[in-house]
Amino acid sequence: RILFPGNAPRSKVVPVVFDFTDSVVLGQYVQVTRNNAALAMGEAEVLGYAVGDPSSSPSSFPSTSLSPSSSSPPSNVPSTTMAPNASPSSIPSNTPSLSPSYSNFEYIDEVDTLLTNGRLGRENKAILQELYEYIASSSDIDAAKQAVQQLVATTPGFHSTSSIERKNGLKRLPTPKAQPANVDYKAIVVFNLFGGVDSFSVLAPKSGGDCTGLYNDYSLARGVAGMTNANLLPIDASGSNQPCSNFGIHKALGEFQTIYNDGNGAFLANFGHLFKPVTKKDWLFETRTDLFSHYKMNQDAQRVDAFQEQSRTGVLGRLLDTMEKKGMAVSPISINTLTVMLDGKPETGRLVDILPSNGGKEFDFENRNGLNFAGELVTAIEELNAGTKVNSGIFANHFSQSFIDTWNKTDDLKDVLRSNIDTAISGNRGNDFKQVLRMIKSASERGVNREAFVVGRGGFDAHAGVMSNLDANLPDVNNAIGGFYRGLKDINMLDSVTTIVISEFGRTISPNTNDGSDHGWGGNYFIFGGGINGKKIYGKYPASFHESDETMLDRGRVLPTRSWDSLWYGVSQWFGVDKEEDMDYVIPNNGNFGCDLIPDSVLYKNGVNKVSGCSGDSIDVQVTVVVAEANYVTGKQQKEICNVAKSQISTTVNAATRCYVEGQEIKVDDAVGTSRRLSNQKISVNFNTKIYSDYKEDEQVSGGLTSLALISQNVVGVIAAEPSNFKNSTGESVVVAAGIEPPSAIPSSTPTAMPSASPTTSAMPSSTTSSPTKGPTSSPTSSLTASPTASPTS
């Protein structure tokens, strides 16, 4: 063993071969050489030896020698000599007996096989063997084994299936930080309440004003699961376009009331996961997901991508992708746990940082009997993940680079995460929000332009005793939000940070037999900061809680009137999304909601953006498609029709266009005489295609473009008739349409969700187009008909 001097002394076990006929001075500096190359200098100490003829050693045995150094040893180094013909009895009896042979990798080989299936690699096994022998000689075998097992978990071979490593002899350096853009800092914080909070006890109508009638309706429907009038804190929703203006919030949410009354917060009424606007008549076949499932609805709320067009990503991750593409330095951060909401496209290589609630973590190795080998372990980890040559395994290299980057970032952040926050934040999530405050406060120091945080809290799945559940859990939420709000104000960052409180779904209006409420759908949530246009309720609160209301489903499940897409549309614009193609990436399904979205010009005081495609004319195109089987057109097929229609109409009128399909109906008529045979019946699917555009006909010059009505009718009619838009369950076209050639430009897809759509067009569809209107919300009153005259092109 060679003991190296310095401020941080360390030692290294070196197997050597030397001739006992030469005098070897111990306790003196020696130079370690291998193949005539100097390796190190230090104090020599013999740990053990094996007697034999060096000439009979395996060819793989390293040629290593020890020779006295001219350097002087430290004054405290003892001078010990070994006689030329020393025998084993000359060695102290307590010296561990270790073979110096490099081929003695039995234990390392076993660990390699068990933990990595043999992927450690020759160089990393040598590093582990060296550490094993050192710790075994300094402590005991068990401590050495423990250290090796810990370090294997830091190797690329443990985490990667292509771990071929060829080290280049260089220390691996962290990836350079992205340079921040010259823009103001903005952040989004999401507080996710797991379990499905009973949010119709968070926001409820309050008796005593214009909401008295709705409160009586609410109280009758909710029974023991509802809030009494005395337990509601009043808020004024005047100017919010709700059924009434006198609302109340749960008595435990006093901080929410303060934020709302300050004009810095707003409630979100009856939001939830939707594929498109639906009604009580069509919600079941137009919503193809696991409704009322904790896992799936939580995933849907975090992804905001109903058709999984950007799979494996979350809405915040896609937002950061877009900002990074614009040259901004971005940072995704979760407190204590992983969350899909922060995941961007894998090809960005950006990892989500998971921060602990309490301070910054460092490498903390468990050591037996209080022995501390942290310095040696850290050095070994650096060597295990050192730089590699270009012909090494790419996955192994990626892991090592990510590992070093994370380690480096941890060191950089530990002081930030331990810094003082003057604002008091109490409750179980107080430390979580303090960490978020620390990161926001240090944004300039860290060089970050855009940041997204997710904090979570569970415990709201109240199938029994819903009132006691809320009384127990909401004070903690209230304290966390109140302290965070004051903290943002203290550091002058309130208008730079938008905070949203969500849950995967609401709960049933009707109580169950355990005085609880069950899994529902639409719910009420809260947003504050960022310069929000506050003291309002956005969305549409139910006008009645009677089963006849348009939002009331069975068991009092509430049909959402606004989608998550609607909320994130305006938040994304505030964050910096200003191009239509970027918005389609961040919120892939935003086009399926027509103009039923909330732009930042409505949601924020200083917002300037509107909904693209909603400032001009709108039109409804009625389409009838004759099919062979009584099945609805699937959601994906509807989007394909609209995507082609939008592309062609936008090109024709040179303006943004939006489109979605609504009101599907299946009609079966006798086709021949009075026969009731199925072969003699005509089956058709009728639906309305809603077209919105920034195109305004009255602004066009005389002799200019034709009306939006005729353009839309021709385009949509032909698209709906094309065979390539409709396939059977095996993916084969089953259309028999005389004189129609399927154009290659029309997209097609095999239906992937029930009910399967396999309509067969047997005749050209009839398209009825109502007169254009000025503005997207007015309804057409007169109609005209025309046959489609042109096929869509690429």
Side-chain angles (χ1 to χ4, degrees):
R1 178 169 63 187
I2 310 301
L3 304 176
F4 300 104
N7 294 331
R10 58 183 293 264
S11 62
K12 192 169 188 178
V13 175
V14 182
V16 297
V17 176
F18 57 90
D19 190 340
F20 272 98
T21 61
D22 296 330
S23 175
V24 177
V25 180
L26 302 179
Q28 172 182 318
Y29 269 178
V30 297
Q31 185 178 58
V32 184
T33 61
R34 180 176 298 161
N35 297 331
N36 297 320
L39 297 182
M41 291 182 61
E43 176 191 347
E45 175 188 3
V46 173
L47 300 179
Y49 62 90
V51 178
D53 181 1
S55 64
S56 65
S57 299
S59 59
S60 61
F61 198 86
S63 176
T64 308
S65 65
L66 294 177
S67 61
S69 168
S70 60
S71 302
S72 299
S75 58
N76 62 344
V77 175
S79 176
T80 306
T81 61
M82 182 174 182
N85 297 316
S87 65
S89 61
S90 304
I91 305 300
S93 59
N94 61 350
T95 301
S97 179
L98 297 175
S99 169
S101 173
Y102 263 107
S103 62
N104 186 20
F105 280 176
E106 286 87 355
Y107 179 70
I108 306 300
D109 283 338
E110 290 178 0
V111 171
D112 185 20
T113 300
L114 288 171
L115 298 184
T116 75
N117 197 27
R119 294 190 298 271
L120 273 179
R122 177 180 57 83
E123 292 172 287
N124 278 352
K125 287 169 69 175
I127 294 169
L128 292 173
Q129 175 70 10
E130 183 178 299
L131 182 78
Y132 177 86
E133 292 184 351
Y134 167 66
I135 295 180
S137 66
S138 301
S139 175
D140 58 42
I141 296 295
D142 288 342
K145 289 180 177 180
Q146 178 180 339
V148 167
Q149 291 169 17
Q150 288 177 331
L151 262 63
V152 167
T154 72
T155 65
F158 186 79
H159 296 271
S160 167
T161 56
S162 64
S163 60
I164 300 173
E165 293 179 84
R166 298 177 176 88
K167 298 187 185 297
N168 59 16
L170 302 175
K171 181 178 180 179
R172 187 181 294 274
L173 299 177
T175 302
K177 293 181 180 179
Q179 293 301 308
N182 187 24
V183 296
D184 292 337
Y185 173 84
K186 287 186 178 181
I188 298 171
V189 180
V190 173
F191 191 14
N192 192 3
L193 306 181
F194 304 123
V197 66
D198 193 311
S199 54
F200 280 94
S201 289
V202 170
L203 178 67
K206 186 169 176 60
S207 180
D210 61 352
C211 283
T212 298
L214 184 58
Y215 171 79
N216 292 336
D217 195 21
Y218 166 90
S219 181
L220 180 64
R222 297 233 64 187
V224 295
M227 295 294 293
T228 62
N229 198 55
N231 288 328
L232 289 171
L233 303 176
I235 61 169
D236 181 10
S238 299
S240 299
N241 196 29
Q242 298 299 329
C244 54
S245 59
N246 296 113
F247 281 84
I249 60 177
H250 193 282
K251 63 182 180 180
L253 298 177
E255 300 282 9
F256 283 60
Q257 183 190 40
T258 298
I259 299 171
Y260 183 92
N261 289 337
D262 286 349
N264 292 318
F267 281 93
L268 307 166
N270 201 15
F271 278 68
H273 175 65
L274 291 169
F275 282 67
K276 57 184 288 188
V278 292
T279 65
K280 291 174 71 171
K281 184 178 180 180
D282 62 9
W283 68 270
L284 186 58
F285 64 80
E286 294 284 17
T287 308
R288 312 313 300 172
T289 189
D290 295 331
L291 283 176
F292 322 127
S293 157
H294 284 296
Y295 173 79
K296 190 61 173 70
M297 296 298 279
N298 190 36
Q299 291 284 300
D300 289 336
Q302 294 190 50
R303 294 184 187 277
V304 194
D305 182 14
F307 291 94
Q308 299 182 35
E309 296 169 78
Q310 302 295 340
S311 62
R312 298 179 297 168
T313 64
V315 63
L316 289 176
R318 296 192 300 272
L319 258 176
L320 294 178
D321 288 349
T322 304
M323 297 300 101
E324 193 169 52
K325 188 176 70 173
K326 297 177 71 171
M328 299 185 193
V330 305
S331 172
I333 296 175
S334 178
I335 306 299
N336 287 327
T337 185
L338 281 171
T339 172
V340 70
M341 197 173 221
L342 292 165
D343 289 341
K345 279 290 187 182
E347 52 262 37
T348 66
R350 186 181 63 248
L351 300 177
V352 176
D353 294 327
I354 303 175
L355 301 185
S357 296
N358 298 304
K361 297 291 185 182
E362 298 178 75
F363 274 116
D364 182 18
F365 297 96
E366 296 179 7
N367 292 292
R368 299 178 72 254
N369 304 321
L371 295 173
N372 184 12
F373 299 106
E376 287 76 13
L377 296 178
V378 166
T379 299
I381 291 173
E382 290 177 339
E383 294 174 352
L384 291 168
N385 292 279
T388 54
K389 298 177 181 178
V390 293
N391 58 345
S392 294
I394 58 173
F395 298 126
N397 181 68
H398 178 74
F399 167 78
S400 289
Q401 190 62 56
S402 299
F403 181 86
I404 295 298
D405 288 346
T406 302
W407 188 0
N408 184 70
K409 186 179 290 186
T410 300
D411 286 343
D412 288 346
L413 289 179
K414 63 185 180 183
D415 290 336
V416 171
L417 297 177
R418 293 168 179 169
S419 62
N420 186 50
I421 291 293
D422 295 329
T423 306
I425 309 179
S426 60
N428 293 332
R429 289 298 172 267
N431 286 333
D432 293 6
F433 279 96
K434 280 187 176 182
Q435 294 292 60
V436 176
L437 272 178
R438 290 184 178 101
M439 297 300 287
I440 293 172
K441 185 179 179 180
S442 65
S444 177
E445 171 190 342
R446 295 182 293 113
V448 178
N449 299 124
R450 292 290 186 270
E451 206 149 29
F453 301 87
V454 175
V455 180
R457 189 195 190 283
F460 291 94
D461 193 18
H463 290 284
V466 62
M467 287 292 100
S468 58
N469 175 280
L470 294 176
D471 290 344
N473 288 312
L474 287 184
D476 192 45
V477 174
N478 183 68
N479 292 335
I481 290 298
F484 185 57
Y485 172 69
R486 288 187 296 274
L488 289 173
K489 293 178 72 174
D490 289 345
I491 61 175
N492 297 315
M493 295 295 281
L494 179 61
D495 287 347
S496 299
V497 181
T498 291
T499 303
I500 308 170
V501 183
I502 66 170
S503 191
E504 63 263 41
F505 49 59
R507 304 191 74 84
T508 57
I509 298 300
S510 305
N512 59 31
T513 55
N514 292 317
D515 294 344
S517 56
D518 297 319
H519 299 181
W521 194 353
N524 307 308
Y525 309 107
F526 192 65
I527 182 172
F528 71 91
I532 199 81
N533 188 11
K535 208 171 182 181
K536 293 182 181 297
I537 298 177
Y538 294 96
K540 185 179 179 183
Y541 199 86
S544 170
F545 289 91
H546 190 271
E547 62 182 12
S548 62
D549 186 78
E550 60 182 7
T551 63
M552 291 297 136
L553 304 177
D554 64 297
R555 280 293 323 280
R557 291 187 171 100
V558 184
L559 183 69
T561 49
R562 288 280 188 161
S563 67
W564 293 122
D565 311 68
S566 179
L567 167 66
W568 284 106
Y569 192 91
V571 174
S572 298
Q573 289 177 327
W574 170 83
F575 206 58
V577 177
D578 53 8
K579 294 181 179 179
E580 188 175 358
E581 58 267 30
D582 289 339
M583 186 64 77
D584 288 341
Y585 170 70
V586 175
I587 310 175
N589 199 37
N590 80 87
N592 226 24
F593 294 93
C595 296
D596 193 20
L597 303 163
I598 307 176
D600 74 340
S601 58
V602 172
L603 194 58
Y604 292 89
K605 296 171 185 174
N606 296 322
V608 297
N609 300 286
K610 297 182 179 180
V611 178
S612 173
C614 292
S615 62
D617 298 346
S618 67
I619 200 72
D620 288 351
V621 180
Q622 300 292 333
V623 179
T624 298
V625 181
V626 178
V627 297
E629 300 175 8
N631 286 307
Y632 293 105
V633 180
T634 67
K636 288 188 176 181
Q637 289 173 325
Q638 295 172 35
K639 291 197 70 171
E640 288 166 355
I641 291 172
C642 275
N643 285 339
V644 178
K646 286 191 301 182
S647 176
Q648 296 191 38
I649 295 171
S650 295
T651 301
T652 302
V653 302
N654 193 29
T657 302
R658 307 182 74 82
C659 166
Y660 74 92
V661 171
E662 67 172 6
Q664 289 195 73
E665 291 184 347
I666 296 177
K667 186 177 181 181
V668 180
D669 293 324
D670 290 337
V672 180
T674 58
S675 173
R676 303 298 297 172
R677 293 170 55 192
L678 184 61
S679 61
N680 290 327
Q681 292 179 328
K682 183 177 75 173
I683 305 173
S684 62
V685 179
N686 304 324
F687 56 84
N688 179 50
T689 305
K690 298 188 72 68
I691 306 291
Y692 303 88
S693 178
D694 286 335
Y695 170 80
K696 296 181 181 180
E697 185 182 350
D698 57 5
E699 294 180 359
Q700 307 304 314
V701 297
S702 177
L705 296 170
T706 185
S707 70
L708 181 65
L710 288 175
I711 297 169
S712 303
Q713 172 206 347
N714 290 337
V715 170
V716 176
V718 172
I719 292 171
E722 290 304 336
S724 55
N725 280 320
F726 300 100
K727 294 185 177 184
N728 63 18
S729 58
T730 63
E732 300 171 338
S733 177
V734 292
V735 173
V736 180
I740 298 179
E741 294 294 330
S744 60
I746 304 299
S748 61
S749 69
T750 302
T752 58
M754 291 296 292
S756 63
S758 54
T760 307
T761 309
S762 60
M764 290 293 286
S766 62
S767 300
T768 304
T769 314
S770 48
S771 300
T773 60
K774 313 306 178 190
T777 58
S778 54
S779 301
T781 55
S782 59
S783 64
L784 56 90
T785 60
S787 299
T789 57
S791 297
T793 63
S794 59

